[in-house]
Structure formats: C-alpha cells, structure tokens
Amino acid sequence: MADAVIVVALLLVAASATAAVAQREPARQALVLSVLGVVLAVLFTVLQAPDVGLSQLAVGSALTPLLIMLSVRKVRRQARAKDRAR
C-alpha cells in the first residue's frame, strides 16, 4: 500500500513538472510551479520527511511563485510605461 502511494506521488511530481516546463507564459508557469511545490511537499511527507515537506510548502509553493509573479508584473508595467512614453 505504501509503495503505491509513493508511486502515485512520483507520477504527480513528474506530471506537474512537465506541465511547468511546457507552459510558455511566465504567469502560468508560476501558477503551475506553485502546484508543483504542493505536490513535492506531499511527496516529501509520504517519504517521511515532514520537515522538508513543510519547507517545500512554504518556499516552493508560496514564496517562489509570488516572487515570479511580482517580477512579471513589474516587467509588464515597465514595458507599458515605455510604450506610453513613445
């Protein structure tokens, strides 16, 4: 039973990582990266590493996608400001 749960978690990680790489738009990449962070946290918990899972949950599914989204937003605002100045 435990082996089946690990295999399912690994398949979910592989699927979400592939989905993150396949996205072209940075905003969507950040959202899929957040899902990948949650799935990795589940995998770490299944593998009996709850401390690593909690760290992954905080950094991988919340902080990193947030920083990416803020960066994308700032770059888009700067591009719009340059277009208006022309």
Side-chain angles (χ1 to χ4, degrees):
M1 178 67 177
D3 291 339
V5 173
I6 293 172
V7 169
V8 169
L10 286 171
L11 289 174
L12 286 173
V13 168
S16 58
T18 303
V21 171
Q23 295 297 321
R24 294 268 186 202
E25 187 180 340
R28 287 187 182 175
Q29 283 178 341
L31 292 174
V32 176
L33 184 64
S34 179
V35 172
L36 175 62
V38 171
V39 173
L40 279 171
V42 169
L43 175 66
F44 291 141
T45 304
V46 167
L47 293 175
Q48 298 179 357
D51 52 342
V52 179
L54 286 173
S55 298
Q56 176 63 31
L57 192 62
V59 175
S61 65
L63 189 63
T64 303
L66 176 65
L67 289 174
I68 292 171
M69 292 295 287
L70 290 174
S71 299
V72 167
R73 182 177 175 194
K74 185 168 185 168
V75 167
R76 287 182 180 169
R77 278 188 179 178
Q78 288 176 350
R80 276 190 249 148
K82 283 184 182 179
D83 287 343
R84 289 181 189 161
R86 291 182 187 182

